[in-house]
């Protein structure tokens, strides 16, 4: 009840609340239909959003399929990873190497010739000035830090380890690492190899280096080169990470060997297989989802736009790639199809358009001609290939073409269209609820007026009955 106080059926004896409710239920039928339409459009909107998410995930799998390194990949296998590990890039050549490591590269390390203090955080009473760290690895470099009477061994270490923004700023963390061992200042070069030297000076007539016992520092470790052989050829390098000895291979020297380490460089088909598997798995997820949404109980049942998308994806996955000069012209040629070969030698097809991978056939294709497989997905001109065709179409679905019709992409446009209808329905519902509230108030006023009229009639009838009864009594007298 709205408005003033209302008491049901006092004069008429009718259950007017029930009557009003039943009348309003009839009035609310159009509102109920609108609410049901809103529910349906919400389901459609959410379905389009889910299609967008799955299509976007499929789009993301295309990146690796457009990289030559995915298909022309090599792996390096060491027989003794405690002594040697290696990585191979796309420029490597399949081969076998015997590597014997006789010496690892080491950095230069020097230290204070005596304990500087008995406590690392106690002021050393240094004169104010600059401590210079002089470094030479074939190219001379000089860095400095500021010290004063408040400087401690710990604050000096922290100052040295700062990487200076420019060579004119204090700090030497770009060329050395400082630490404290047994209350001595220990300095280690960040560059390994022979010929590295570290020395110290100051602008206080040697007073700072004297107090820190760095005038004649103790050489703890002499910088040395790595020495090793590759298939009997002796090699010397200043670092333990070596990328300029074997084509396309980076060697990580980790320990001296007692016997040669065997290093195998071979084609790595797994990276390409993983990339193809990721693409196919997401493609199948998309096609499964679309088939469900288009089905008899789907939220986008028989939607023409989604049916067109489904058909286009099938065409892209099963079509012949033009402009390819290699032996592989379609995904089926490398073992990817919408079915699998059965006993009769024929293909069985999946109704939803899902793909099946024959891993053995894919592996064989990669081992035979990995570059030709890559060209099937992404050719040299970048204008053809399965990955390019999918990329162009999925970009159109997600982002549109930039013209006035599809500035957001079809998927977003479909979701927005559903939301616009939902917004319009919400407006209609709000207006209808206002009208229904007014209608209910009108009915209550009408029933109230009826009750009041009946009550007045009943009152008059009672008065007349009383008058008639009184007249009868008078006549009997």
């Amino acid at each position: 009840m709205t408005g003033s106080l209302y008491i049901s059926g006092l004069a008429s004896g009718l259950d007017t609340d029930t009557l009003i409710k039943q009348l309003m239920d009839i009035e609310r039928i159009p509102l109920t239909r609108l609410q049901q339409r809103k529910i349906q459009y919400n389901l459609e909107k959410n379905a389009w959003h889910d299609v967008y998410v799955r299509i976007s995930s499929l789009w993301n799998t295309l990146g690796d399929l457009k990289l030559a390194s995915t298909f022309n990949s090599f792996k390096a296998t060491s027989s003794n990873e405690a002594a040697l590990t290696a990585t191979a890039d796309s420029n490597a050549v399949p081969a076998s190497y015997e590597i014997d490591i006789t010496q690892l590269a080491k950095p230069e390390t020097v230290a204070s010739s005596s304990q500087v203090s008995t406590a690392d955080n106690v002021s050393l009473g240094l004169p104010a000035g600059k401590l210079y760290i002089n470094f030479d690895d074939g190219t001379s470099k000089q860095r400095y830090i500021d010290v004063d009477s408040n400087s401690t061994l710990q604050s000096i270490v922290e100052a040295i380890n700062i990487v200076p923004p420019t060579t004119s700023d204090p700090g030497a963390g770009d060329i050395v690492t400082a630490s404290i061992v047994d209350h001595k200042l220990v300095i280690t070069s960040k560059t390994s190899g022979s010929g590295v030297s570290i020395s110290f000076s100051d602008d206080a007539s040697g007073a700072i280096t004297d107090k820190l016992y760095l005038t004649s520092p103790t050489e703890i470790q002499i910088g040395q080169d790595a020495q090793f052989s590759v298939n009997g050829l002796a090699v010397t390098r200043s670092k333990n990470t070596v990328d300029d000895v074997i084509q396309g291979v980076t060697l990580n020297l980790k320990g001296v060997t007692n016997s040669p380490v065997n290093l195998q460089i071979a084609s790595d088909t797994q990276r390409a297989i993983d990339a193809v598997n990721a693409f196919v798995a997401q493609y199948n997820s998309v096609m499964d989802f679309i088939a469900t949404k288009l089905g008899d109980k789907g939220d986008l049942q028989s939607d023409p736009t989604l049916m067109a998308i489904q058909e286009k994806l099938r065409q892209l996955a099963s079509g012949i790639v033009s402009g390819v000069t290699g032996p592989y012209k379609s995904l089926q040629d490398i073992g990817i199809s919408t079915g699998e070969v059965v006993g009769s030698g024929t293909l069985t097809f999946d109704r939803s358009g899902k793909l099946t991978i024959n891993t053995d056939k894919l592996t064989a294709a990669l081992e035979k001609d990995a570059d030709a497989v890559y060209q099937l997905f992404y050719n040299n001109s970048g204008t053809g290939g399965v990955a390019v065709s999918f990329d162009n179409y999925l970009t159109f679905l997600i982002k549109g073409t930039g013209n006035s019709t599809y500035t957001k992409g079809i998927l977003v446009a479909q979701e927005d269209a559903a939301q616009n209808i939902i917004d319009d329905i919400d407006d209609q519902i709000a207006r209808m609820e206002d009208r229904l509230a007014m209608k209910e108030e009108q009915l209550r006023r009408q029933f109230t007026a009826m009750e009041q009229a009946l009550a007045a009639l009943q009152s008059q009838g009672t008065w007349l009955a009383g008058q008639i009864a009184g007249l009868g009594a008078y006549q009997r007298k």
Side-chain angles (χ1 to χ4, degrees), residues 339-407:
E340 56 185 9
V341 177
V342 295
S344 63
T346 60
L347 280 171
T348 60
F349 292 93
D350 185 277
R351 285 183 176 274
S352 67
K354 291 195 298 181
L355 296 173
T356 300
I357 300 178
N358 184 327
T359 304
D360 291 339
K361 188 173 181 179
L362 175 60
T363 302
L366 287 166
E367 290 176 347
K368 180 180 179 180
D369 194 341
D371 188 62
V373 178
Y374 171 54
Q375 296 301 318
L376 176 64
F377 284 97
Y378 188 84
N379 65 36
N380 288 330
S381 66
T383 58
V386 174
V388 175
S389 297
F390 267 93
D391 184 53
N392 291 338
Y393 183 60
L394 299 186
T395 299
F396 168 69
L397 293 179
I398 295 168
K399 295 184 176 182
T401 60
N403 62 31
S404 59
T405 306
Y406 298 118
T407 55

Side-chain angles (χ1 to χ4, degrees), residues 120-121 152-155 157 178-186:
D120 300 335
N121 290 311
T152 66
L153 198 57
Q154 183 63 43
S155 69
V157 165
S179 61
I180 300 171
V181 178
D182 192 26
H183 308 303
K184 296 179 181 179
L185 184 62
V186 179

Side-chain angles (χ1 to χ4, degrees), residues 139-359:
T139 302
S140 297
K141 302 179 181 69
Q142 186 180 71
R143 302 289 186 267
Y144 77 93
I145 64 168
D146 293 310
V147 300
D148 56 33
S149 60
N150 294 319
S151 296
T152 66
L153 198 57
Q154 183 63 43
S155 69
I156 290 173
V157 165
E158 292 171 355
I160 291 174
N161 286 332
I162 292 173
V163 176
T166 69
T167 55
S168 61
D169 294 306
D174 58 327
I175 57 173
V176 298
T177 299
S179 61
I180 300 171
V181 178
D182 192 26
H183 308 303
K184 296 179 181 179
L185 184 62
V186 179
I187 305 293
T188 301
S189 68
K190 287 193 170 181
T191 303
S192 59
S194 62
V196 174
S197 65
I198 301 173
S199 62
F200 305 90
S201 58
D202 60 53
D203 61 357
S205 302
I208 297 173
T209 55
D210 284 347
K211 282 252 184 183
L212 296 174
Y213 295 100
L214 293 175
T215 303
S216 299
T218 301
E219 191 171 46
I220 298 175
Q221 178 176 279
I222 299 173
Q224 66 181 33
D225 292 328
Q227 295 179 357
F228 59 101
S229 64
V230 178
N231 290 348
L233 178 66
V235 180
T236 299
R237 290 292 185 272
S238 62
K239 300 181 295 182
N240 292 318
T241 300
V242 182
D243 60 4
D244 61 348
V245 173
I246 300 175
Q247 178 183 329
V249 178
T250 298
L251 303 173
N252 302 303
L253 310 180
K254 302 173 72 176
V256 174
T257 57
N258 295 320
S259 59
V261 177
N262 178 261
L263 181 66
Q264 291 284 343
I265 309 299
S267 296
D268 183 9
T269 60
Q270 192 59 49
R271 182 174 177 183
I273 291 172
D274 289 344
V276 172
N277 276 329
F279 165 74
V280 170
Q282 189 56 41
Y283 175 89
N284 288 343
S285 173
V286 169
M287 297 303 281
D288 246 349
F289 184 78
I290 289 177
T292 300
K293 293 303 175 183
L294 287 174
D296 292 340
K297 297 182 180 180
D299 297 328
L300 298 171
Q301 180 181 354
S302 301
D303 183 275
T305 300
L306 190 56
M307 291 175 68
I309 291 173
Q310 180 188 51
E311 181 59 27
K312 181 63 175 180
L313 292 175
R314 283 175 175 163
Q315 292 174 6
L316 292 175
S318 60
I320 302 297
V321 178
S322 60
V324 177
T325 58
Y328 310 125
K329 310 294 185 183
S330 70
L331 291 180
Q332 187 172 324
D333 290 341
I334 61 172
I336 304 170
S337 65
T338 54
E340 56 185 9
V341 177
V342 295
S344 63
T346 60
L347 280 171
T348 60
F349 292 93
D350 185 277
R351 285 183 176 274
S352 67
K354 291 195 298 181
L355 296 173
T356 300
I357 300 178
N358 184 327
T359 304

Side-chain angles (χ1 to χ4, degrees), residues 79-141:
S79 64
N80 182 359
E81 292 191 347
L84 173 71
T85 61
T87 56
D89 61 29
S90 59
N91 294 317
V93 176
S96 178
Y97 302 94
E98 295 292 323
I99 299 176
D100 198 6
I101 304 170
T102 55
Q103 179 175 290
L104 292 178
K106 294 182 179 180
E108 174 83 359
T109 301
V110 299
S112 302
S113 58
S114 182
Q115 287 186 340
V116 177
S117 70
T118 57
D120 300 335
N121 290 311
V122 173
S123 173
L124 301 174
L126 297 173
K130 288 180 169 55
L131 171 65
Y132 294 100
I133 298 93
N134 307 304
F135 180 85
D136 193 340
D137 61 351
T139 302
S140 297
K141 302 179 181 69

Side-chain angles (χ1 to χ4, degrees), residues 40-60:
Q40 180 57 40
Y41 278 108
N42 263 316
L43 291 174
E44 292 183 14
K45 174 193 170 186
N46 292 336
W48 279 114
H49 180 73
D50 288 340
V51 172
Y52 173 87
V53 171
R54 283 167 171 77
I55 291 289
S56 295
S57 296
L58 178 61
W59 189 44
N60 290 335

